[in-house]
Amino acid sequence: MGTHTAVITGSTAGIGAAFARQLASQGYDLVLAARTQERLEAQSEALEAQYGIRAETIVADLATDDGVGAVQERLTDPVHPMHLLVNNAGHGLAGSFLDNDLDDERDLLRLHVQTPMELTHTAARGMAAQRAGRIINVASVAGFTPTGTYSAAKAWVVNFSKAMHAQLKPEGITVTALCPGLVRTEFHERSGIRITGAKKWMWLDPEDVVRQGLTANAQGSAVCVPSAQYRALTASLRFIPDPVVQWAADKRMGIPGTGEEENDDSASSSH
């Protein structure tokens, strides 16, 4: 069967970088996709040197058709099939919906909704031919809250992943939505989002998030919410009125009308 290969978008920082490290440590060859060539090359060289695996790079802005097409081309390589896709690329917006530029809102929707849909479609067709494959879509606990366009996009990712989990299971493919809360990455700083009033327990370590996500996917789970605290929080959200959730989110973010979190540099990821 040969060495397994994983494709990771938004690989150079935060959750994406943690996925790269952990999968490399498991012996996966990697295909790393992000926007910045220098960071990709440094990451690739470091992973190859430390883990003895092969790490290809794809320089791509995944908020564009050309960027997505470059990753799709690799996903359909019949000579070097891939076995695991991690849709992690993402970014946030700091302003309110009315203050944000429409092009920026459009890019956010493109990156968080259309891009993972397109890459999942391409990857799943190849995996179905092999009768085996794994897909992890990085969503967010924001997807369970009505707090802005970021949370709306992540709600789409959660529901899409649950649907694909059911549809693709007979094809031997496991799809999991990974839904972390606040993660200690550079995501918020890069997105210009200021977090205020967040308790210590609310901050998760990206290595823990990824470890739990990989385990949940390997065990066949449709949704993974890392940490018992966030699982309890998301379970309670159905009983909390939407205006209260919105008020709490606004207060914590320190700015009106923002969604939540995520980061990198592929147009970006964390959550």
Side-chain angles (χ1 to χ4, degrees):
M1 193 166 179
T3 303
H4 281 197
T5 301
V7 177
I8 305 169
T9 68
S11 69
T12 55
I15 290 175
F19 267 112
R21 287 189 294 270
Q22 291 190 31
L23 289 168
S25 73
Q26 294 179 21
Y28 275 81
D29 284 339
L30 302 177
V31 178
L32 308 171
R35 287 187 303 181
T36 307
Q37 183 170 357
E38 294 76 14
R39 293 182 74 172
L40 272 174
E41 289 177 352
Q43 181 185 31
S44 171
E45 291 170 8
L47 290 168
E48 288 183 337
Q50 183 169 357
Y51 298 104
I53 53 94
R54 185 165 180 258
E56 305 170 47
T57 62
I58 300 175
V59 180
D61 181 349
L62 293 174
T64 67
D65 290 347
D66 287 347
V68 173
V71 178
Q72 287 175 309
E73 185 175 354
R74 178 58 184 86
L75 289 172
T76 54
D77 183 346
V79 181
H80 301 102
M82 53 81 231
H83 308 83
L84 171 61
L85 169 65
V86 179
N87 281 311
N88 171 72
H91 63 192
L93 294 174
S96 69
F97 181 66
L98 291 182
D99 289 338
N100 290 334
D101 186 83
L102 181 56
D103 284 341
D104 292 337
E105 289 285 358
R106 189 181 290 116
D107 284 348
L108 183 140
L109 197 64
R110 190 354 169 169
L111 183 63
H112 290 267
V113 173
Q114 187 176 336
T115 293
M117 179 275 291
E118 291 174 347
L119 295 182
T120 295
H121 188 271
T122 301
R125 284 194 162 180
M127 291 173 176
Q130 303 174 56
R131 305 293 300 173
R134 301 167 63 187
I135 298 172
I136 298 176
N137 295 321
V138 179
S140 172
V141 294
F144 302 104
T145 67
T147 52
T149 50
Y150 177 89
S151 72
K154 289 306 186 183
W156 187 93
V157 174
V158 172
N159 283 293
F160 171 70
S161 300
K162 289 163 74 173
M164 291 306 102
H165 179 86
Q167 287 188 29
L168 298 176
K169 189 174 182 180
E171 307 294 332
I173 303 167
T174 302
V175 181
T176 303
L178 176 58
C179 305
L182 295 168
V183 184
R184 295 191 184 282
T185 70
E186 59 187 71
F187 171 82
H188 301 96
E189 181 181 348
R190 290 171 71 93
S191 300
I193 296 172
R194 181 167 55 89
I195 300 296
T196 61
K199 306 298 183 188
K200 189 174 180 182
W201 69 263
M202 298 177 75
W203 289 99
L204 304 178
D205 177 73
E207 300 293 339
D208 292 337
V209 168
V210 168
R211 197 173 297 111
Q212 292 182 57
L214 287 171
T215 299
N217 181 259
Q219 292 175 344
S221 299
V223 177
C224 172
V225 179
S227 93
Q229 300 96 313
Y230 274 110
R231 283 191 290 275
L233 178 64
T234 54
S236 69
L237 283 172
R238 71 190 72 178
F239 305 110
I240 302 174
D242 288 350
V244 176
V245 176
Q246 180 70 61
W247 171 83
D250 291 351
K251 191 168 185 226
R252 195 188 74 223
M253 306 300 270
I255 21 180
T258 43
E260 249 246 355
E261 43 285 329
E262 183 183 340
N263 167 73
D264 166 84
D265 133 87
S266 53
S268 250
S269 191
S270 179
H271 312 248

